Amino acid sequence: MTHFPFIFNDHKKTAKERESQSIIPSPLELQSARRYIGAMNDPRPMESDLAMRLGQDGRSVTVAAPAKINLFLKVLGKRPDGYHDILSWFQTLDLADRIEIHKTAGGNIDLVSDHPTLPVGPDNLICKAAKAIQDNYTPNIGFRIILNKRIPIGAGLGGGSSDAAAVIKGLNHMMGLGLTVSQMAAIGLEIGSDIPFFFSRGQAEVTGRGERVKEIDLPVDYQAVLVTPPFEIRAAEAYRKLNLDLTVKELDVSLRCRKAHELFDVISELANDLERALLISYPILDKVRDGLIKTGANIVRLTGSGPTIFALYGDTAPDAEELTPRFWGERWGVHLTRPVILPA
């Protein structure tokens, strides 16, 4: 088991700044999101190989950045620093972004993406990850990074954090830096609090404010359907709506699951503590949750601070194309995925 006792480092914006931003999409944002969701639902299969691939000339590397879900998320209390202690199980999925990194001359870091609205400037976590490696290990070398985006942004699926971790791993491999997992995770933590998890094998118990990552072994013999709307819910908004009086203060979560049905039994007794208030604030999410329950899912839950809702199936899951019409009036993205264990 690997354990990273890291200190939490929040994202670039303060909670107050995030709270001041509107969580309702503008017409232009919604139009762009609809175009992008159409691309995400393209039936062409994604490359499922999560292993890194070094270019023949040694000047490029291709790496996948998988999404994650919170199998459960317990909020144990508010800390004196204003953040919250959590307990959660994270699981990576085979839904993944694809990143190509090319070594260039001149020292510039350039990011291009197929996402219609994703910012590609220095504040993007990918650029921050590449800059951290450049500043510390490769000061005279530049990088051109090509992002093929398939994980919905701002959806509680960890796409930005996974992308940043993938860049750190890819540059470590391409440049032969020899960084250990702990060293890479520490670099990631300086950029964002969720990044260290993506240096695990893809299954972890995450505690503290999110800075403590302990690898665990969970079954993967199930499927997951993800349903994602074309708008974001800010984490600060979700935590502000939380009623701590309704959360469990102490938990003893037993790792007694070897098969999917055992995992479902364990996590069915738990929940996402952020879910209750968000389903009230966003009735459409409650409607989608009910629709997924009617498909025979074993578990239906919000992941992270949302807005993605996932459904777990131990047997045969509905086809994504079959489910899509149920939500297409709202232009929601629908993905059929499987849990994966990441390469060492």
Side-chain angles (χ1 to χ4, degrees):
M1 298 292 182
T2 303
H3 186 265
F4 306 128
F6 296 119
I7 298 174
F8 182 90
N9 188 4
D10 198 12
H11 297 299
K12 59 182 182 296
K13 295 182 180 178
T14 66
K16 184 176 181 180
E17 288 172 328
R18 287 195 296 268
E19 289 174 9
S20 67
Q21 296 179 345
S22 173
I23 61 174
I24 304 300
S26 68
L28 180 60
E29 291 171 333
L30 190 58
Q31 183 179 10
S32 297
R34 285 171 177 169
R35 288 198 302 269
Y36 178 55
I37 286 175
M40 289 194 300
N41 284 283
D42 191 319
R44 290 174 297 178
M46 290 254 338
E47 183 177 82
S48 60
D49 184 4
L50 297 175
M52 281 185 287
R53 296 181 179 180
L54 193 64
Q56 291 185 352
D57 59 1
R59 298 182 60 84
S60 66
V61 66
T62 300
V63 59
K68 65 83 183 171
I69 54 174
N70 300 73
L71 292 172
F72 68 86
L73 173 60
K74 304 303 294 181
V75 182
L76 304 181
K78 193 168 185 178
R79 302 164 59 101
D81 58 12
Y83 295 99
H84 293 79
D85 280 315
I86 67 166
L87 170 62
S88 183
W89 284 358
F90 285 14
Q91 172 65 62
T92 48
L93 305 172
D94 62 0
L95 172 65
D97 294 341
R98 183 174 179 270
I99 298 174
E100 295 180 21
I101 309 173
H102 298 265
K103 190 188 306 184
T104 62
N108 292 331
I109 296 174
D110 299 311
L111 171 63
V112 295
S113 171
D114 61 351
H115 189 285
T117 61
L118 184 71
V120 294
D123 286 338
N124 187 290
L125 293 182
I126 286 177
C127 296
K128 288 187 173 185
K131 190 69 165 58
I133 294 294
Q134 184 187 62
D135 287 347
N136 288 284
Y137 303 102
T138 62
N140 300 316
I141 298 175
F143 306 106
R144 176 175 169 79
I145 305 170
I146 302 171
L147 171 63
N148 183 236
K149 191 69 177 165
R150 287 297 173 265
I151 302 173
I153 62 172
L157 296 170
S161 296
S162 185
D163 290 343
V167 167
I168 294 171
K169 288 186 283 189
L171 289 177
N172 182 50
H173 185 61
M174 181 174 71
M175 304 303 297
L177 302 179
L179 299 174
T180 65
V181 169
S182 294
Q183 287 172 321
M184 289 190 290
I187 293 170
L189 187 59
E190 291 299 315
I191 303 164
S193 60
D194 292 336
I195 296 175
F197 162 72
F198 291 98
F199 295 97
S200 73
R201 296 296 304 279
Q203 300 180 323
E205 180 179 277
V206 178
T207 56
R209 293 178 294 180
E211 82 281 14
R212 299 181 67 86
V213 180
K214 183 178 72 173
E215 293 193 331
I216 56 179
D217 294 317
L218 298 175
V220 294
D221 57 329
Y222 61 91
Q223 298 180 74
V225 168
L226 312 178
V227 180
T228 305
F231 61 83
E232 299 181 32
I233 297 177
R234 308 287 180 179
E237 173 79 7
Y239 277 95
R240 190 171 67 243
K241 295 177 181 295
L242 175 68
N243 185 348
L244 282 174
D245 291 338
L246 299 178
T247 65
V248 177
K249 301 300 186 294
E250 295 183 3
L251 285 173
D252 180 18
V253 181
S254 174
L255 286 172
R256 58 178 183 270
C257 34
R258 302 295 181 99
K259 294 291 185 180
H261 68 90
E262 295 173 325
L263 173 65
F264 298 157
D265 286 344
V266 170
I267 64 176
S268 67
E269 300 174 2
L270 303 166
N272 180 342
D273 284 341
L274 301 178
E275 180 178 294
R276 186 196 308 265
L278 291 175
L279 293 184
I280 295 173
S281 298
Y282 296 87
I284 187 65
L285 295 179
D286 200 21
K287 179 180 177 181
V288 171
R289 179 180 177 275
D290 289 344
L292 288 170
I293 290 173
K294 291 176 181 177
T295 67
N298 296 88
I299 299 288
V300 179
R301 187 161 292 163
L302 191 79
T303 181
S305 59
T308 296
I309 294 180
F310 67 85
L312 306 184
Y313 301 84
D315 297 318
T316 303
D319 188 271
E321 293 183 0
E322 173 189 337
L323 283 174
T324 296
R326 301 192 184 198
F327 311 108
W328 198 248
E330 309 297 334
R331 306 297 294 182
W332 291 38
V334 181
H335 297 89
L336 176 61
T337 69
R338 290 183 176 274
V340 292
I341 298 174
L342 304 183

